[in-house]
Amino acid sequence: MRVLVTGGAGFIGSPVVAALRERGHEAIVFDVREDPADDVRDPAAVARALAGVDAVCHQAAKVGLGDGVADAAEYVSSNDLGTAVLLAAMAEVGVRRLVLAGSMVVYGEGRYECPRHGVVRPGPRAVADLDAGRFEPPCPVCGADLVPGLVGEDAPADPRNVYATTKLAQEHLAAAWARCTGGSALSLRYHNVYGPGMPRDTPYAGVASFFRSALARGEAPRVFEDGRQRRDFVHVRDVAQANAAALEADAAPGVLAAYNTGSGDPHTVGEMARALAAAYGGPEPVVTGAYRLGDVRHITADSARLRDALGWKPQVAFEDGMVEFARAGMRGT
């Protein structure tokens, strides 16, 4: 299969290209890092790149929490306009298979249960609570403490920041394309991807990159809130294999199917920071109590659907991945 990989020179795109080639596919890189003309928002450039292509693996995106709404136009342009241009070109030339780099951020907060009211969906955390160090969202009905759990793909979407909103819009665009063309679309909702080649020293990288960059400077990783927020850290090579499996799958035409893509082994941010610092041999993390408005407290995946439907399962254990990441190189911004 000849596969166009947008963002194919990036942190996740590069391992996707490698995984496809290892499995005997022809992977074509389309990325402004390699050629400034490879802009996914340019209809002519995209049309040229799609010549002779059987499928598209769409990784190109502006990622990260961003700066409130100040850079909203940049996110919408990169993520949503770029996706719309790509899908229109695919419809025109007859490419009917798409795998999209989705994100767990479309859910907002994760799954919570109240002892009295069962499964509930807390709203955005109040600034007054965050300022006072009350980081756990309370039950929206009675104010009781909640128990976090694993979120499934059928959970309602509730994006809490600009980036999350653009990622959900990408899925809606892909679903519309699938309905209009009869194409197949799969969205892999990545959880916290980490591993060799993460970009360093950038506000748009993941938390693992922040901590690894600090250690490289001889500084202690600075952990927000109380460090007890739960995440699912999944290795980039496992994510690459998930993309390859999705491209090879017998996907239903005319619909978009979403799959959580996580390790299934949740850890707190503080645990990750300590594991990375220990593996690197650097200073112990510092828990700051600071917060970022728009962050969610807990979000961890139930990836059973991906494992059952596509036969994928992660291979890199958390402890092994942190040791490798501590010793691996990082890329510039």
Side-chain angles (χ1 to χ4, degrees), residues 105-329:
V105 295
V106 300
Y107 298 118
E109 286 285 354
R111 186 178 188 274
Y112 293 88
E113 286 194 34
C114 171
R116 292 180 57 193
H117 298 100
V119 176
V120 296
R121 291 188 61 78
R125 294 180 292 172
V127 171
D129 287 340
L130 295 170
D131 285 341
R134 294 189 294 269
F135 301 120
E136 295 289 344
C139 174
V141 181
C142 67
D145 293 339
L146 300 175
V147 178
L150 300 180
V151 62
E153 290 89 348
D154 296 329
D158 185 17
R160 299 288 176 91
N161 55 59
V162 168
Y163 170 63
T165 302
T166 65
K167 296 306 289 183
L168 182 59
Q170 283 185 310
E171 289 195 352
H172 289 320
L173 288 166
W177 166 84
R179 286 192 297 271
C180 290
T181 65
S184 67
L186 287 79
S187 177
L188 300 180
R189 291 175 175 170
Y190 301 160
H191 279 248
N192 288 71
V193 186
Y194 75 97
M198 281 195 88
R200 64 174 181 268
D201 298 323
T202 168
Y204 299 102
V207 66
S209 172
F210 296 164
F211 295 163
R212 177 64 174 76
S213 296
L215 290 165
R217 297 191 299 269
E219 301 171 2
R222 295 179 62 80
V223 180
F224 281 4
E225 302 186 15
D226 58 3
R228 297 176 184 171
Q229 54 272 50
R230 287 160 52 89
R231 298 290 187 268
D232 186 316
F233 299 100
V234 58
H235 196 278
V236 67
R237 286 197 302 274
D238 286 331
V239 169
Q241 291 297 330
N243 275 273
L247 284 160
E248 294 170 351
D250 292 328
V255 296
L256 178 137
Y259 295 94
N260 287 334
T261 307
S263 70
D265 181 27
H267 291 269
T268 69
V269 172
E271 287 172 341
M272 188 271 286
R274 290 189 294 273
L276 191 57
Y280 190 87
E284 284 285 312
V286 174
V287 177
T288 66
Y291 64 87
R292 296 193 305 177
L293 199 62
D295 269 347
V296 297
R297 179 60 174 173
H298 304 294
I299 178 69
T300 54
D302 181 353
S303 298
R305 179 184 290 182
L306 180 59
R307 299 180 192 216
D308 294 343
L310 303 187
W312 169 89
K313 66 177 183 178
Q315 301 295 318
V316 183
F318 175 80
E319 294 78 9
D320 297 335
M322 287 297 149
V323 169
E324 179 194 21
F325 182 46
R327 298 169 180 170

